[in-house]
């Protein structure tokens, strides 16, 4: 099936929306930080919102109470500082808002499901060197595991490298 484009992708929105998901599929993102900030709505009205930023190259996401409660249950803590560097799986769902059915983003209430189609990596390869460079640049082993299948030995080696480079 060909890739279809949601009309909302034709506009420059500052935040992640249900239309941002590739072909409507869930995405896995790693929380970098969360903070309150002033957000200008589509109607031009400003309001203070709670926003999540990610390590991956993704727009920030406005977190509502429903998504915050899900993250709290997922990580077993209400403390936002303890959510940092943890991964969430985000998907789209339809809800009734203001008398109208609309698509919205929801944090899934389970640990992210990694694709079995991830490639394996040979220790010492160019990709392995890129992974080590990424860890030195602030990426996490958890982020690497979303893209590559690694052996337990490789994971242990990367964890040691991650600790020494941070």
């Amino acid at each position: 099936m060909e890739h279809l484009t949601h009309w909302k992708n034709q506009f420059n929105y500052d935040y992640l929306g249900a239309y941002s998901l590739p072909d409507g599929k869930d995405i896995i993102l790693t929380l970098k930080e969360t903070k309150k900030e002033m957000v200008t709505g589509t109607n031009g009205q400003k309001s203070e919102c709670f926003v999540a930023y990610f390590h991956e190259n993704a727009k920030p996401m406005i977190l509502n109470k429903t998504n915050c409660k899900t993250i709290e249950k997922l990580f077993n803590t209400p403390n936002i500082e303890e959510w940092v560097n943890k991964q969430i799986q985000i998907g789209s769902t339809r809800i009734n808002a203001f008398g109208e059915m609309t698509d919205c983003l929801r944090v899934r209430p389970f640990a992210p499901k990694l694709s079995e189609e991830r490639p394996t990596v040979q220790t010492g390869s160019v990709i392995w060197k890129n992974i080590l460079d990424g860890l030195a640049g602030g990426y996490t082993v958890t982020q690497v595991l979303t893209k590559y299948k690694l052996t337990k030995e490789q994971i242990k080696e990367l964890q040691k490298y991650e600790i020494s480079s941070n």
Side-chain angles (χ1 to χ4, degrees), residues 126-137:
V126 172
I127 293 173
W128 183 257
K129 184 183 177 328
N130 290 343
I131 289 170
L132 294 177
D133 290 345
L135 291 175

Side-chain angles (χ1 to χ4, degrees), residues 132-143:
L132 294 177
D133 290 345
L135 291 175
Y139 272 88
T140 65
V141 173
T142 308
Q143 287 174 283

Side-chain angles (χ1 to χ4, degrees), residues 72-149:
E72 176 185 354
K73 286 180 187 163
L74 190 61
F75 301 140
N76 233 0
T77 178
N79 304 315
I80 60 175
E81 297 83 3
E82 294 179 281
W83 298 356
V84 174
N85 293 327
K86 293 200 166 73
Q87 290 192 314
I88 56 175
Q89 185 164 327
I90 300 168
S92 175
T93 192
R94 293 194 54 81
I95 62 162
N96 187 337
F98 311 106
E100 189 177 311
M101 290 305 285
T102 186
D103 292 320
C104 72
L105 290 177
R106 285 290 185 250
V107 174
R108 300 297 189 203
F110 49 78
K113 292 185 174 146
L114 301 177
S115 167
E116 287 304 313
E117 298 168 18
R118 296 170 291 146
T120 56
V121 178
Q122 297 300 316
T123 305
S125 67
V126 172
I127 293 173
W128 183 257
K129 184 183 177 328
N130 290 343
I131 289 170
L132 294 177
D133 290 345
L135 291 175
Y139 272 88
T140 65
V141 173
T142 308
Q143 287 174 283
V144 172
L145 289 171
T146 63
K147 294 186 177 18
Y148 302 102
K149 272 191 215 175

